[in-house]
Structure formats: structure tokens, C-alpha cells
Amino acid sequence: MAADTSRSVAKAADGETTLAARGPSRTTATGSPRGGIRRALATHWYAWAMIAPVVLVLGVIVGWPLVRGVYLSLTNANERNVARTIGVRHIDATYEFVGLDNYADVLGDPVFWQRLVWTVVWTVACVSITFVLGLTLATMLNRQFRGRAAYRMALILPWAVPGFVSVFAWRFLFNRDNGILNKVLDGGGISAIPWLDDPTWAKLSVIAVNVWLGIPFMMVALLGGLQSIPAELYEAAEMDGAGPWQRFRHITLPGLRAVSMTVILLSTIWTFNMFPVIFLLTRGGPGDSTEILVTQAFREAFIASPRDFAGSAAWGVLILGLLMIFALVYRRSLRKQGEVW
């Protein structure tokens, strides 16, 4: 019996040793990245099939132009040396690779820094005013009163109107000779204001129009955030003797932090690249006083003679780089504040 017991123990030990020897190899095989991808495809094939068209469309619409733009920014391409067809004659491209010369030229040009300063001022002013007005209107509409639905619809109306229609309407209002605003001022004995003819007034005008277009989005987003704050918090604070300002400061603002951070980021990116308002309202004028970075890039590619495709691409890549840097810094600041984004 002792011999049989020792043999069985030895076999068990040998079996454990064999399993232990085989265990790591199996784990390694199943834990390889290739095996994980195969399992994910096999398990979630339906999800991958659903998002594949979206990925393909984004790759064609966004990815290819981005890659092409980066490539052109490293060449000396302009309308004189790109491939083109005149009648039945085809002319091949003759532009060459020049490396980072375009970026050096743009960064060394005082025009870039002038446009950058005004773009930052324009963005900060628009986003700040839009946020304050949107929060004010959202706070007012979060209360119960008669006709609240009608007021909400009226304030969302600018969002429903196409942007170019709104800008052209404001251009008519700002007309110096026949505009409604100057007609009203003239009726009050005030001389006409050169809304779009004076650099300072033109800057104020484009900011006002962009704020008017941006308030509905800001108001709706913040109103949704306000409605997600539990009413019990306000009731408890009121019972503790907290005043309206204290309730707003210690309940409303912290409750809106997550929504506010998101809408401020989106509004900043949209305003930084808000081409239609500037181009359709002032064309960058008077002179070039209201030109921002994106309108300057458009001018380089489609208005300047000869049209500088490489220089315009360099402007575009720099704009993208600035926004990426801002997003990374913004994300890091949110993480320091405890926000997950």
C-alpha cells in the first residue's frame, strides 16, 4: 500500500509539473494581441460592421484631405506649378518638396502674429459673452412661468436659421445708409454709426453677430445641465438660510461644471474657426482689420495671386496644431480639477 501511495503521489506531482509547464504557453498564446483582436472581431462583429462605414467615410472626408494638406504644406505648390488641364492639353505638376520652409515663412511673417492676436481676442470675447448670456437665459428659463415654452422657442430660433441667412440679415441691419439700426438712431437724433466701415465698430459687429448665433446652443446645453441638478439641494440650502447668490455659487455653478467645460471647449473650437461670420459680414475688412487665421488661409489659397496652395496648407496645419495644443492643455487642467474627460 505504501508503494502504491508513493507512486500515485509521484504521478500527481508529475501531472502538476506538466500542467505548470504547459500553463504559461497557453496563457501567452491566448493573451497575445493578435488573439485579442480575433476574439473581439468574433464577439463584436456586428458592432464593427456598423461602425465600418462611418470610419470609411471619415477617412475619406477628413483623413485624406488632412494628409494631402500636410503634404502640400511641405512643397512649393501654387496655381502655376500644380497639375492642370487647359482645353485638351494636360500640364503635369512641377512643384517640389521644400521641407519646413513654408512654416518658417509663415511664422516669420508679422501678419501671422497679427491674425493670431485678433483671433484669440475674438474667440475669448465671443465665448465669454456667449457663456454669460447663455447661463443667464438658461437660469431664467429654468423657472416656472407662463409662456415659458414660447420663450424657449423664440430664443432657439437663431439656431434653426441657416448661418449664412442670419449673417446676410445682420449685414442689412448694419448698412450705414439704409440699415435699420442707423434708421433708428437717426430717428433719435444720433448720427449714423459706421458699423462695417470702421475697424473698431467692425470688430464689435462681428463679435455681436457671432454671440447672437452662439447663444441658443449655449443656452440649451446649460438649461439641460440646470434641470439635472436635484431640486432637494436648493430646498435644503434655502432651509439653512442660504441666499440666492449663495445657492447659485455653491450649488448651480458646481452642478454645471461638467456641462460648462464641454460647451466652452466646443464653443472655443467653433469660434476659432468661424469662417462664415467674418467672411460674409466684413470680408475681413475694412482693410484687413477683422481677418482671422482661417480667413487668411482662405485668402492665400483662393484670392491671392498667384494662389499659394502650399502656404495656405501651412496656415491650416498651424491652426490645427494650435487647437490641438489648446485641447491638450484644457484636458490637463480639467484632470487637475478632478474632472474626467
Side-chain angles (χ1 to χ4, degrees), residues 233-263:
L233 296 178
Y234 291 100
E235 295 174 358
E238 190 173 0
M239 293 179 62
D240 291 339
W245 169 248
Q246 291 176 318
R247 295 196 298 270
F248 179 79
R249 179 181 177 185
H250 297 288
I251 298 177
T252 303
L253 290 181
L256 289 176
R257 180 177 297 174
V259 177
S260 300
M261 296 300 101
T262 302
V263 295

Side-chain angles (χ1 to χ4, degrees), residues 60-74:
V60 174
I61 296 178
V62 178
W64 167 245
L66 178 60
V67 173
R68 179 66 176 173
V70 173
Y71 169 72
L72 285 178
S73 69
L74 301 175

Side-chain angles (χ1 to χ4, degrees), residues 142 221-234 252 255-259:
N142 195 40
L222 294 177
L223 181 60
L226 287 173
Q227 293 178 347
S228 67
I229 300 176
E232 293 80 5
L233 296 178
Y234 291 100
T252 303
L256 289 176
R257 180 177 297 174
V259 177

Side-chain angles (χ1 to χ4, degrees), residues 86-166:
I86 303 176
V88 296
R89 181 185 177 188
H90 177 75
I91 303 176
D92 294 328
T94 58
Y95 57 83
E96 300 175 350
F97 182 83
V98 296
L100 300 177
D101 290 353
N102 290 316
Y103 295 97
D105 293 339
V106 173
L107 294 175
D109 189 352
V111 173
F112 173 81
W113 301 104
Q114 295 172 6
R115 302 291 181 268
L116 178 60
V117 170
W118 162 236
T119 303
V120 172
V121 172
W122 141 270
T123 303
V124 172
C126 289
V127 173
S128 302
I129 299 173
T130 303
F131 180 80
V132 172
L133 294 179
L135 179 58
T136 303
L137 293 173
T139 304
M140 295 171 61
L141 293 177
N142 195 40
R143 302 176 180 179
Q144 294 291 340
F145 60 90
R146 182 176 298 178
R148 183 175 64 169
Y151 282 108
R152 287 183 177 181
M153 291 299 297
L155 291 172
I156 295 175
L157 184 61
W159 200 8
V161 178
F164 73 95
V165 175
S166 299

